[in-house]
Amino acid sequence: MTASASPTIRLTIDGMEITVPKGTLVIEAARRVGVMIPHFCYHPKLKPDANCRMCLVEIEKMPKLQTSCSTIATDGMSVRTATSVVNDAHKSVLEFILANHPLDCPVCDQGGKCDLQDFSHEYTATGSRFLETKRIFQKEYFSPLIETQMNRCVQCLRCVRYCDEVMDVKALAPSGRGTMTEIKAFGSHPLDCEFCGGCVQICPVGAITSRLSMYEYRPWMLKRADTICQYCGDGCQITVQTKDNELVEVNSSYGAGRNNGDLCARGFFGFHATSRPDRLTKPLVRRNGVLVEATWEEALEYTAEQIARLKRLHGAQAFGGLMSSRCTNEDLYLFQKFMRVVIGTNNLDSSARYGHLNGVQAMRRIQGTHRWTVTFEDIVEADVLLLVGTSITETNPVTGLRVKEAVKKHMARLLTIELMQPGIDSISNITNLADHHVGVPTAQFGNALIGLLKAVMEGGHVAPSVQKESPDYVTALSQLLERLAWTELEAATGSSPDSFKQMAAAIAKSHRFIVLTGQDLLRSVGGYNACLQLLDLLLLTGKSTEPGCGFAPLAEENNDQGAVELGAVSELLPGALDLASSEARAKIGRAWNTDIPSTPGATLTDMIERARTGHLKAMFVIGENPVGTLPSHLGTREACQSLELLICQELFMTETAALAHVVFPAAAPLEKAGTWTNEEGHVQAIRPAVEPAGDSRPDWEILSALALLLGTPMEYNDSKDLLKEIRSVIPGYGLLGPSPTPQKVDRGAVDRYVSGGYRDDLSTRYTLAPRGPHPHGGDWSMHLTQSLFHSGKLSTRSKGLLEIESRDAIRMNRADGTRLALADGDRVRLSNSRGEMTTSVKLVERVPQGTVWFPDHFAQEATKLFDLTIDPATKVPAFRTTSVTITKIA
Amino acid sequence: MGQHEPILLKNMSHPGYTGSLADYERTGGYQAVKKVMGKVSPAEVTQLVIKSGLRGRGGAGFPTGVKWGFLPKDYQGLRYLCCNADESEPGTFKDRQLIERDPHQILEGIVLACYAIAAETAYIYIRGEFVLGARILEKAIGEARRAGYIGKNILGTGVTVDIWVHRGAGAYICGEETALLESLEGKRGLPRVKPPFPATHGLYNKPTVVNNVETLANLPHIINRGPEWFAAIGSPPKSTGTRIFCVSGHVKRPGNYEVPMGITFRELIYEHAGGMRSEKPLKAFIPGGASAPFLTPDHLDVKMDFESVAAAGSMLGSGGVTVMEEGTSMVWAALRLMEFFYHESCGKCSPCREGSSWLVQTMRRIVNKRGRAQDLETLTDLCKNIAGRTVCAFGDAEVAPIMSTLKHWRPEYIALIHEAEAANLLRPQPVGARG
Amino acid sequence: MLRDKYQEEIDEILSRYPVRRSALIPLLYLAQREHGYITEASMTEIASLLKLTPPQVYETATFYTMLNLKQVGKFHIQVCKSLMCALVGSDTVVAWIKSKLGIGPGETTADGVFTLTLVECLAACGTGPMMQINDDYYECLTEDKFDRIVADLTATGSSALKSGPFMWPEPLAMKSERPIG
Ligand SMILES: Cc1cc2nc3c(=O)[nH]c(=O)nc-3n(C[C@H](O)[C@H](O)[C@H](O)COP(=O)(O)O)c2cc1C
Ligand code: SF4
Ligand code: FES
């Protein structure tokens, strides 16, 4: 299995000997000795198709020239890539390819980065011999974001193959045949797909280009910055291209970053989110009830005075802080240090509270880690993958590609317990690839997991070593599970015992088993319990400590993981150390030369409650918008209004910032340096691509300036300086290597868990959650879910993404739509005992009948219809489900 | 030579033979199935076929038993047989007759081949235009199924063979075996890059054999009468058995003639097909379908077996012999075939896709008297640059007409180009066109 | 919806193949039989029957010449223009059609009854010139025979002059049946 054991072969290329792994293609072997064989249709990500015939080479003992992109190197093979016969062949194939090509390079956006242009220069093909009429395709409108110029197409089908093999979307159709083969969208509709930009990136010529950056530039005019995408926790590397401080386009390169050249719509088309005219560019201070512009000095001094005054009056516990997990590690680190040291309180939180903490706390409890024990590479190599509540394509699309790769290329078995059901829509559906699928609504994931664990127990799939070493744990669990009858489980999950039994059997047989979970589970009621159950599953089947096996909670926001690791939540200190532990407090205190307050901190919802009741007087909110995010019945707006001091650091005038006393303009991710930690725990550098908008500044600089004014200086030259301090507090943090350093399961923690730690809440964990009738009337159950085209609310300010999805629309099953006589785009009223609102509908296959999904990025108004439940252990607020009545508005 | 009894066309030549199961059984039908099923091992059946020397009748002439032998021996999963009834090579119309007149002969061949390669499912990929043929086959399959020759547990031997008719929908390239498989999988009929070969990765990625209709129709006779009998017919050792030659063009009696391999073209054209239709003598003929290079009267005494025709610079191909009389323009004839190839290029490979459009346009210009002196060199170059550089043999086929007519009738091309040049001199030049 | 009308036939087609996508061409034929051509709605429906995306259905449908994505006449006349038929007069057949029906290749008569298409070899090279009208072959065409076929089709919707099971040259004993000529 390991790379060292894989057999190799020797061959010569143009006389040079080289040893390569068995199965290497000749074109790849040649590249290793520095020989670039010209090609169009070959791409390392795709299965060989050998259609362009450009890469012909001579191979000893073969009478005909062979395509090096499809020929596997064999032992003793002798390849020649530069003989006159080969050169002739290259020249002639190029002549064919150029025959119908319009040679409109001067007006082509690909000019300067076009393979065809490059190879033509190299072979100076005599294109002029073609005296006939060139093929002309009628220009058709392709899509709002992607432009086609099919006359330029060389029919290598890389776009079509990428869309199928890598994305599993299959949105592109080569239509017609022969020279008239044209890449089209289906029928008379414009292209409707995942808009991953893959076809734009993979087209070797200018046939498919991005409309966001048409006719604006030539590649050599652009400045590049390699950085990381600001949206989800996958942490894709992107190359941002700018011209005169304007964002022009985003690319990714094969072989670079965790994404290896793949992106999703958000990464590829979402880069304009922060370059809008409505960015905050000047500090604002509330005077006579209105926010007015101020200088940085005025605003900072005013803020410092107010903080000092309120601290004097009400003490440190009257303060609270909240920060977005989209901020850098350096920002988050300094934020929590500011709250703990300058203010002196643990009342602080970050967006990791919205769900990520459920996964982290479960891992900390059962296996003593706060990070994945596996990597993306392990996902690709897994033989069985279990996805629970991930909506992976929508939420973490690029991790989703690793899952697709494992299934489609390496024949991994895929088990899914998801909200969605199999069905074909214009974007890919991971459950279509599943060997076994169980569909359950939000908040029932736990029920399904109980079914799975019961099947593991009853199928005799508990690992003998676990059975032997932890008999009490196994017995306690199996007794609980025995009490639950299959009939009850079937009723609670809507799935037959067989599905669970088959899943359990597949897991038992696996060697490399990975459990992925995501926002649908992490952000819903019982999310923490379900994570514990998943870890129980890994423990019982003996997989938790096996190499290549593990639990991998996906992160919604790009730096959820960093927020936890840097201590930007009330209960954790940097290094994800327990605030409750005096040892941990002492350790961090030593590093900071101060005492860490020991009073437990208030979490997000506690702070709001305390503000509402007048106990909390001041809040520092950085990049977060609780007023726009939390259900209105929590009273967040009232809470904010009753504060004596609300300080916001923001990019835009959000609902929360509008209530603030001071608003500092913050620099956006594409404008600053620092690091982010992706969901794998991989720390990656971000680099500024453009100058900060107006007078905006990085968050840490603002905090640093305030600290100075408040008499507790925290000064740093730059973000690197801050990272250095972080490394002294968390040894080795963020060594910025090419791949992550997964944690190892802590045997001690596991022992503590199996020898008694499991007991506390075991029986509550293994009871079935009620599969209730609809709590608020109405016969539709409604879930808040994610859309692929947005991430949080940030992306709803990106012009590219707004082209694809610009407003709220509930997703409803096509059959339900037919039943209610609803068509795409029709308006409906949603109502329940909490209130009502109007929206429109979008009909899809993946939503189970009787259910509707509301995209949470546009849910400001809809949240009022949802219930809010706070997890007693992790304090994660869940507001993902409710019930409504739907009526068509004529 | 020439005095022979037809094998494949024998039954249907009897007055009143309808091709029904009853008729077929009356003439010894399904005896071969009874003879081998459960009595002779599949490996032995393959050996018999190897011994008979039977070679594929679809065009490439690959030894049939040897092809079967390439299937993985110890593979436990499913295997498939595909009967290639795409018959799209211009000049070829023999499979159509076998299908419409004696379908059970083919079905019996399929059952035998399936038995030999342990395939439980066979698909007959029939060109979409053969609507009547598809109906006849379906009816015959129904009869055979009811009689227990097809289906589960054939004749109580425990052997299963299911046969389905699958209609193509208009694409010559789907006769190419890997394009056929793609098409049968519901995709565009683009040939696959080989290796891997269908023998290991065929239909649905399973080991698969593709055989032509005529190839399969020979099997019952080989089993019934023994490989030695078959191997003695024709031009042994390499071209055994008969072939159905399809004669078309300027002859008196066009049609299908089943003769032992090894007779001469002269014999086929002048004796069987009745000679030329008028006093005009023979000018050219295509010996094996549109993909085979043209031959001249000098080649009339070439023997019609695989090796002799190859030695004459052409190929026996699919058995379609097209005869052209004096007065036929060879440039025009080559253009007609080039138009066919242009229309049918699947578009996968750049040389074939772009080359065919280039060639057809240049040829049209020459025929329309708008040729240029340098065109002949371009044509030659293009043809050379296509051949041998494509995924499938279509690339080699499409250049055959132009290459061979250029070789034998070059003066006709030159004359057309001269005419064009002369016309150009006379044609008034539009004002401004000179500057 | 095809499903409402042809559920049984669809099930039978699906039962022939271990992989659903193989049923694609047969189902496209079904759709063409139903509407005369393949509509966008039927492609979408077939996609969902086969668990494919509509573009996957579309790309296959556009590859094959017998699948019409546009309306054609009630009688679709397809004349073979390949070399073998051309040697024995297919070009003159096209000229007759033009003079009789007033349509050239790719055109449909104003009343929508006849469409003329030129096609490549239909495997009837020994019996050219020939044409296919809808499902049937008509071979050894003469001007007179063509007229009679058109008259038959216009009057009754079918013609006895269509080819039966093919055998050529005709066996002497069967001459009387005249399957083709
Ligand atoms: C372009 C092309 C078209 C072909 N068309 C046909 C055809 O219509 N019928 C056929 O039997 N074989 C055809 N063949 C040959 C097949 O690829 C294959 O060799 C044959 O079906 C094998 O059967 P056999 O071994 O019985 O001849 C074609 C090959 C090529 C390259
Ligand atoms: S040679 Fe022509 S027909 Fe064959 S695969 Fe290539 S493009 Fe298609
Ligand atoms: S790169 Fe090898 S054929 Fe295209």
Side-chain angles (χ1 to χ4, degrees), chain B residues 55-62 64 67 84-89 95 172-177 210-213 215 392-394:
Chain B
R55 289 172 64 172
R57 306 303 198 223
F62 198 85
T64 305
K67 178 158 36 175
N84 190 340
D86 194 54
E87 188 150 72
S88 314
E89 177 82 6
D95 296 340
Y172 164 68
I173 195 61
C174 293
E176 197 279 339
E177 55 182 1
V210 182
N211 275 141
N212 170 259
V213 166
T215 312
C392 82
F394 185 102

mmCIF file of all heavy atoms in Angstrom, chain B residues 55-62 64 67 84-89 95 172-177 210-213 215 392-394, ligand 1:
data_model
loop_
_atom_site.group_PDB
_atom_site.id
_atom_site.type_symbol
_atom_site.label_atom_id
_atom_site.label_comp_id
_atom_site.label_asym_id
_atom_site.label_seq_id
_atom_site.Cartn_x
_atom_site.Cartn_y
_atom_site.Cartn_z
ATOM 1 N N ARG B 55 -11.537 -16.752 -40.258
ATOM 2 C CA ARG B 55 -11.094 -15.389 -39.941
ATOM 3 C C ARG B 55 -12.265 -14.444 -40.050
ATOM 4 O O ARG B 55 -13.214 -14.675 -40.784
ATOM 5 C CB ARG B 55 -9.982 -14.967 -40.911
ATOM 6 C CG ARG B 55 -8.703 -15.722 -40.639
ATOM 7 C CD ARG B 55 -7.653 -15.474 -41.691
ATOM 8 N NE ARG B 55 -7.205 -14.079 -41.727
ATOM 9 C CZ ARG B 55 -6.167 -13.674 -42.481
ATOM 10 N NH1 ARG B 55 -5.516 -14.535 -43.234
ATOM 11 N NH2 ARG B 55 -5.806 -12.414 -42.476
ATOM 12 N N GLY B 56 -12.187 -13.354 -39.293
ATOM 13 C CA GLY B 56 -13.306 -12.428 -39.191
ATOM 14 C C GLY B 56 -13.734 -11.896 -40.533
ATOM 15 O O GLY B 56 -12.907 -11.577 -41.385
ATOM 16 N N ARG B 57 -15.048 -11.810 -40.727
ATOM 17 C CA ARG B 57 -15.587 -11.324 -41.990
ATOM 18 C C ARG B 57 -15.981 -9.854 -41.906
ATOM 19 O O ARG B 57 -16.583 -9.318 -42.834
ATOM 20 C CB ARG B 57 -16.824 -12.149 -42.386
ATOM 21 C CG ARG B 57 -16.609 -13.664 -42.438
ATOM 22 C CD ARG B 57 -15.490 -14.054 -43.389
ATOM 23 N NE ARG B 57 -15.578 -15.474 -43.763
ATOM 24 C CZ ARG B 57 -14.534 -16.304 -43.830
ATOM 25 N NH1 ARG B 57 -13.312 -15.885 -43.529
ATOM 26 N NH2 ARG B 57 -14.695 -17.562 -44.199
ATOM 27 N N GLY B 58 -15.659 -9.203 -40.789
ATOM 28 C CA GLY B 58 -16.086 -7.812 -40.605
ATOM 29 C C GLY B 58 -15.175 -6.820 -41.290
ATOM 30 O O GLY B 58 -15.541 -5.679 -41.527
ATOM 31 N N GLY B 59 -13.971 -7.229 -41.592
ATOM 32 C CA GLY B 59 -13.079 -6.303 -42.263
ATOM 33 C C GLY B 59 -11.616 -6.557 -41.957
ATOM 34 O O GLY B 59 -10.773 -6.537 -42.852
ATOM 35 N N ALA B 60 -11.318 -6.810 -40.692
ATOM 36 C CA ALA B 60 -9.913 -6.912 -40.317
ATOM 37 C C ALA B 60 -9.362 -8.314 -40.551
ATOM 38 O O ALA B 60 -8.154 -8.500 -40.657
ATOM 39 C CB ALA B 60 -9.735 -6.508 -38.864
ATOM 40 N N GLY B 61 -10.237 -9.306 -40.622
ATOM 41 C CA GLY B 61 -9.787 -10.655 -40.922
ATOM 42 C C GLY B 61 -8.984 -11.311 -39.822
ATOM 43 O O GLY B 61 -8.099 -12.121 -40.078
ATOM 44 N N PHE B 62 -9.288 -10.991 -38.588
ATOM 45 C CA PHE B 62 -8.546 -11.592 -37.480
ATOM 46 C C PHE B 62 -9.065 -13.008 -37.201
ATOM 47 O O PHE B 62 -10.278 -13.233 -37.213
ATOM 48 C CB PHE B 62 -8.694 -10.721 -36.233
ATOM 49 C CG PHE B 62 -7.648 -11.017 -35.210
ATOM 50 C CD1 PHE B 62 -6.402 -10.399 -35.288
ATOM 51 C CD2 PHE B 62 -7.880 -11.942 -34.207
ATOM 52 C CE1 PHE B 62 -5.407 -10.692 -34.368
ATOM 53 C CE2 PHE B 62 -6.892 -12.241 -33.279
ATOM 54 C CZ PHE B 62 -5.652 -11.613 -33.354
ATOM 55 N N THR B 64 -10.753 -15.931 -35.761
ATOM 56 C CA THR B 64 -11.837 -15.849 -34.786
ATOM 57 C C THR B 64 -11.535 -16.608 -33.493
ATOM 58 O O THR B 64 -11.688 -16.064 -32.398
ATOM 59 C CB THR B 64 -13.139 -16.379 -35.428
ATOM 60 O OG1 THR B 64 -13.355 -15.640 -36.628
ATOM 61 C CG2 THR B 64 -14.316 -16.223 -34.509
ATOM 62 N N LYS B 67 -8.997 -14.887 -31.339
ATOM 63 C CA LYS B 67 -9.584 -13.729 -30.635
ATOM 64 C C LYS B 67 -10.306 -14.198 -29.366
ATOM 65 O O LYS B 67 -10.142 -13.622 -28.299
ATOM 66 C CB LYS B 67 -10.532 -12.993 -31.573
ATOM 67 C CG LYS B 67 -11.195 -11.825 -30.902
ATOM 68 C CD LYS B 67 -11.773 -10.695 -31.721
ATOM 69 C CE LYS B 67 -12.418 -10.750 -32.980
ATOM 70 N NZ LYS B 67 -13.001 -9.587 -33.556
ATOM 71 N N ASN B 84 -21.718 -7.990 -34.502
ATOM 72 C CA ASN B 84 -21.623 -6.741 -35.243
ATOM 73 C C ASN B 84 -22.457 -6.822 -36.516
ATOM 74 O O ASN B 84 -22.061 -7.417 -37.506
ATOM 75 C CB ASN B 84 -20.149 -6.469 -35.558
ATOM 76 C CG ASN B 84 -19.929 -5.067 -36.109
ATOM 77 O OD1 ASN B 84 -20.858 -4.433 -36.587
ATOM 78 N ND2 ASN B 84 -18.691 -4.608 -36.028
ATOM 79 N N ALA B 85 -23.653 -6.252 -36.432
ATOM 80 C CA ALA B 85 -24.549 -6.226 -37.592
ATOM 81 C C ALA B 85 -24.738 -4.784 -38.028
ATOM 82 O O ALA B 85 -25.807 -4.367 -38.442
ATOM 83 C CB ALA B 85 -25.892 -6.863 -37.233
ATOM 84 N N ASP B 86 -23.668 -4.002 -37.894
ATOM 85 C CA ASP B 86 -23.769 -2.584 -38.218
ATOM 86 C C ASP B 86 -23.700 -2.361 -39.723
ATOM 87 O O ASP B 86 -24.158 -1.337 -40.226
ATOM 88 C CB ASP B 86 -22.663 -1.799 -37.520
ATOM 89 C CG ASP B 86 -22.941 -0.305 -37.548
ATOM 90 O OD1 ASP B 86 -24.037 0.080 -37.102
ATOM 91 O OD2 ASP B 86 -22.101 0.464 -38.024
ATOM 92 N N GLU B 87 -23.094 -3.300 -40.406
ATOM 93 C CA GLU B 87 -22.967 -3.249 -41.871
ATOM 94 C C GLU B 87 -23.130 -1.858 -42.476
ATOM 95 O O GLU B 87 -24.161 -1.523 -43.048
ATOM 96 C CB GLU B 87 -23.971 -4.194 -42.541
ATOM 97 C CG GLU B 87 -23.699 -4.280 -44.047
ATOM 98 C CD GLU B 87 -24.091 -5.618 -44.637
ATOM 99 O OE1 GLU B 87 -25.303 -5.889 -44.763
ATOM 100 O OE2 GLU B 87 -23.193 -6.397 -44.930
ATOM 101 N N SER B 88 -22.084 -1.066 -42.363
ATOM 102 C CA SER B 88 -22.175 0.301 -42.886
ATOM 103 C C SER B 88 -21.107 0.613 -43.904
ATOM 104 O O SER B 88 -21.040 1.719 -44.404
ATOM 105 C CB SER B 88 -22.024 1.309 -41.753
ATOM 106 O OG SER B 88 -22.813 0.935 -40.678
ATOM 107 N N GLU B 89 -20.233 -0.315 -44.163
ATOM 108 C CA GLU B 89 -19.150 -0.053 -45.107
ATOM 109 C C GLU B 89 -19.747 0.060 -46.511
ATOM 110 O O GLU B 89 -20.358 -0.900 -46.999
ATOM 111 C CB GLU B 89 -18.167 -1.222 -45.043
ATOM 112 C CG GLU B 89 -17.027 -1.150 -46.007
ATOM 113 C CD GLU B 89 -15.882 -0.262 -45.528
ATOM 114 O OE1 GLU B 89 -15.944 0.217 -44.377
ATOM 115 O OE2 GLU B 89 -14.950 -0.047 -46.308
ATOM 116 N N ASP B 95 -24.614 -8.872 -44.818
ATOM 117 C CA ASP B 95 -25.171 -9.205 -43.511
ATOM 118 C C ASP B 95 -26.683 -9.010 -43.522
ATOM 119 O O ASP B 95 -27.426 -9.750 -42.885
ATOM 120 C CB ASP B 95 -24.522 -8.336 -42.424
ATOM 121 C CG ASP B 95 -23.019 -8.604 -42.294
ATOM 122 O OD1 ASP B 95 -22.580 -9.683 -42.755
ATOM 123 O OD2 ASP B 95 -22.303 -7.751 -41.757
ATOM 124 N N TYR B 172 -21.733 5.366 -39.070
ATOM 125 C CA TYR B 172 -20.856 4.339 -39.633
ATOM 126 C C TYR B 172 -19.819 3.885 -38.630
ATOM 127 O O TYR B 172 -19.513 2.704 -38.517
ATOM 128 C CB TYR B 172 -20.167 4.917 -40.874
ATOM 129 C CG TYR B 172 -18.959 4.152 -41.374
ATOM 130 C CD1 TYR B 172 -19.089 2.885 -41.939
ATOM 131 C CD2 TYR B 172 -17.681 4.706 -41.299
ATOM 132 C CE1 TYR B 172 -17.973 2.197 -42.417
ATOM 133 C CE2 TYR B 172 -16.570 4.020 -41.775
ATOM 134 C CZ TYR B 172 -16.717 2.771 -42.327
ATOM 135 O OH TYR B 172 -15.623 2.091 -42.791
ATOM 136 N N ILE B 173 -19.296 4.832 -37.861
ATOM 137 C CA ILE B 173 -18.183 4.515 -36.972
ATOM 138 C C ILE B 173 -18.568 3.450 -35.941
ATOM 139 O O ILE B 173 -17.730 2.760 -35.387
ATOM 140 C CB ILE B 173 -17.657 5.801 -36.281
ATOM 141 C CG1 ILE B 173 -16.288 5.564 -35.639
ATOM 142 C CG2 ILE B 173 -18.629 6.334 -35.264
ATOM 143 C CD1 ILE B 173 -15.204 5.159 -36.616
ATOM 144 N N CYS B 174 -19.858 3.309 -35.680
ATOM 145 C CA CYS B 174 -20.284 2.318 -34.687
ATOM 146 C C CYS B 174 -20.063 0.884 -35.160
ATOM 147 O O CYS B 174 -20.303 -0.062 -34.416
ATOM 148 C CB CYS B 174 -21.724 2.551 -34.271
ATOM 149 S SG CYS B 174 -21.883 4.097 -33.377
ATOM 150 N N GLY B 175 -19.591 0.715 -36.402
ATOM 151 C CA GLY B 175 -19.164 -0.611 -36.838
ATOM 152 C C GLY B 175 -17.798 -0.947 -36.265
ATOM 153 O O GLY B 175 -17.456 -2.116 -36.102
ATOM 154 N N GLU B 176 -17.016 0.066 -35.958
ATOM 155 C CA GLU B 176 -15.714 -0.154 -35.314
ATOM 156 C C GLU B 176 -16.007 -0.718 -33.937
ATOM 157 O O GLU B 176 -16.844 -0.187 -33.207
ATOM 158 C CB GLU B 176 -14.961 1.173 -35.235
ATOM 159 C CG GLU B 176 -13.487 1.039 -34.975
ATOM 160 C CD GLU B 176 -13.123 0.815 -33.514
ATOM 161 O OE1 GLU B 176 -13.944 1.148 -32.634
ATOM 162 O OE2 GLU B 176 -12.040 0.298 -33.245
ATOM 163 N N GLU B 177 -15.305 -1.758 -33.570
ATOM 164 C CA GLU B 177 -15.788 -2.526 -32.425
ATOM 165 C C GLU B 177 -15.855 -1.740 -31.116
ATOM 166 O O GLU B 177 -16.796 -1.911 -30.339
ATOM 167 C CB GLU B 177 -14.993 -3.815 -32.244
ATOM 168 C CG GLU B 177 -13.502 -3.618 -32.134
ATOM 169 C CD GLU B 177 -12.760 -4.948 -32.008
ATOM 170 O OE1 GLU B 177 -13.410 -5.992 -32.030
ATOM 171 O OE2 GLU B 177 -11.534 -4.925 -31.864
ATOM 172 N N VAL B 210 -16.319 -9.182 -30.044
ATOM 173 C CA VAL B 210 -17.163 -8.623 -31.089
ATOM 174 C C VAL B 210 -16.895 -9.424 -32.356
ATOM 175 O O VAL B 210 -15.747 -9.561 -32.775
ATOM 176 C CB VAL B 210 -16.838 -7.131 -31.345
ATOM 177 C CG1 VAL B 210 -17.758 -6.562 -32.412
ATOM 178 C CG2 VAL B 210 -16.942 -6.325 -30.062
ATOM 179 N N ASN B 211 -17.952 -9.982 -32.925
ATOM 180 C CA ASN B 211 -17.814 -10.732 -34.171
ATOM 181 C C ASN B 211 -18.851 -10.287 -35.178
ATOM 182 O O ASN B 211 -19.991 -9.963 -34.824
ATOM 183 C CB ASN B 211 -17.988 -12.241 -33.937
ATOM 184 C CG ASN B 211 -16.689 -12.914 -33.507
ATOM 185 O OD1 ASN B 211 -16.688 -13.799 -32.657
ATOM 186 N ND2 ASN B 211 -15.581 -12.505 -34.074
ATOM 187 N N ASN B 212 -18.463 -10.349 -36.426
ATOM 188 C CA ASN B 212 -19.342 -9.973 -37.517
ATOM 189 C C ASN B 212 -20.432 -11.040 -37.727
ATOM 190 O O ASN B 212 -20.260 -12.211 -37.380
ATOM 191 C CB ASN B 212 -18.483 -9.816 -38.774
ATOM 192 C CG ASN B 212 -19.293 -9.667 -40.019
ATOM 193 O OD1 ASN B 212 -19.467 -10.619 -40.778
ATOM 194 N ND2 ASN B 212 -19.834 -8.476 -40.226
ATOM 195 N N VAL B 213 -21.535 -10.643 -38.292
ATOM 196 C CA VAL B 213 -22.661 -11.526 -38.582
ATOM 197 C C VAL B 213 -22.214 -12.753 -39.392
ATOM 198 O O VAL B 213 -22.508 -13.901 -39.045
ATOM 199 C CB VAL B 213 -23.737 -10.758 -39.384
ATOM 200 C CG1 VAL B 213 -24.759 -11.708 -40.000
ATOM 201 C CG2 VAL B 213 -24.437 -9.734 -38.498
ATOM 202 N N THR B 215 -19.256 -13.975 -39.851
ATOM 203 C CA THR B 215 -18.331 -14.807 -39.081
ATOM 204 C C THR B 215 -19.132 -15.794 -38.236
ATOM 205 O O THR B 215 -18.872 -17.006 -38.240
ATOM 206 C CB THR B 215 -17.476 -13.913 -38.156
ATOM 207 O OG1 THR B 215 -16.953 -12.824 -38.894
ATOM 208 C CG2 THR B 215 -16.356 -14.698 -37.510
ATOM 209 N N CYS B 392 -8.440 5.029 -34.402
ATOM 210 C CA CYS B 392 -8.985 3.817 -34.997
ATOM 211 C C CYS B 392 -8.600 3.734 -36.464
ATOM 212 O O CYS B 392 -8.002 4.647 -37.024
ATOM 213 C CB CYS B 392 -10.510 3.762 -34.832
ATOM 214 S SG CYS B 392 -11.428 4.706 -36.056
ATOM 215 N N ALA B 393 -8.961 2.641 -37.104
ATOM 216 C CA ALA B 393 -8.540 2.387 -38.482
ATOM 217 C C ALA B 393 -9.280 3.257 -39.498
ATOM 218 O O ALA B 393 -8.964 3.244 -40.676
ATOM 219 C CB ALA B 393 -8.746 0.913 -38.810
ATOM 220 N N PHE B 394 -10.251 4.019 -39.028
ATOM 221 C CA PHE B 394 -10.971 4.921 -39.930
ATOM 222 C C PHE B 394 -10.000 5.880 -40.616
ATOM 223 O O PHE B 394 -10.144 6.212 -41.781
ATOM 224 C CB PHE B 394 -12.002 5.705 -39.115
ATOM 225 C CG PHE B 394 -12.909 6.603 -39.908
ATOM 226 C CD1 PHE B 394 -14.203 6.214 -40.197
ATOM 227 C CD2 PHE B 394 -12.503 7.861 -40.327
ATOM 228 C CE1 PHE B 394 -15.059 7.052 -40.893
ATOM 229 C CE2 PHE B 394 -13.355 8.708 -41.026
ATOM 230 C CZ PHE B 394 -14.642 8.300 -41.305
HETATM 231 C C1 LIG D 1 -14.305 2.358 -39.286
HETATM 232 C C2 LIG D 1 -14.632 0.914 -39.121
HETATM 233 C C3 LIG D 1 -15.903 0.457 -39.451
HETATM 234 C C4 LIG D 1 -16.227 -0.881 -39.307
HETATM 235 N N1 LIG D 1 -17.474 -1.289 -39.636
HETATM 236 C C5 LIG D 1 -17.798 -2.594 -39.472
HETATM 237 C C6 LIG D 1 -19.099 -3.056 -39.797
HETATM 238 O O1 LIG D 1 -19.952 -2.305 -40.225
HETATM 239 N N2 LIG D 1 -19.392 -4.359 -39.584
HETATM 240 C C7 LIG D 1 -18.470 -5.218 -39.088
HETATM 241 O O2 LIG D 1 -18.786 -6.386 -38.927
HETATM 242 N N3 LIG D 1 -17.233 -4.820 -38.792
HETATM 243 C C8 LIG D 1 -16.863 -3.521 -38.951
HETATM 244 N N4 LIG D 1 -15.608 -3.121 -38.621
HETATM 245 C C9 LIG D 1 -14.673 -4.098 -38.075
HETATM 246 C C10 LIG D 1 -14.846 -4.230 -36.580
HETATM 247 O O3 LIG D 1 -14.077 -3.258 -35.918
HETATM 248 C C11 LIG D 1 -14.379 -5.563 -36.047
HETATM 249 O O4 LIG D 1 -13.102 -5.804 -36.523
HETATM 250 C C12 LIG D 1 -15.259 -6.709 -36.448
HETATM 251 O O5 LIG D 1 -16.579 -6.467 -36.075
HETATM 252 C C13 LIG D 1 -14.777 -7.942 -35.796
HETATM 253 O O6 LIG D 1 -15.538 -9.050 -36.207
HETATM 254 P P1 LIG D 1 -14.880 -10.217 -37.038
HETATM 255 O O7 LIG D 1 -13.618 -10.581 -36.331
HETATM 256 O O8 LIG D 1 -15.895 -11.254 -37.007
HETATM 257 O O9 LIG D 1 -14.621 -9.650 -38.387
HETATM 258 C C14 LIG D 1 -15.270 -1.785 -38.794
HETATM 259 C C15 LIG D 1 -14.009 -1.317 -38.476
HETATM 260 C C16 LIG D 1 -13.681 0.025 -38.638
HETATM 261 C C17 LIG D 1 -12.324 0.477 -38.281
#
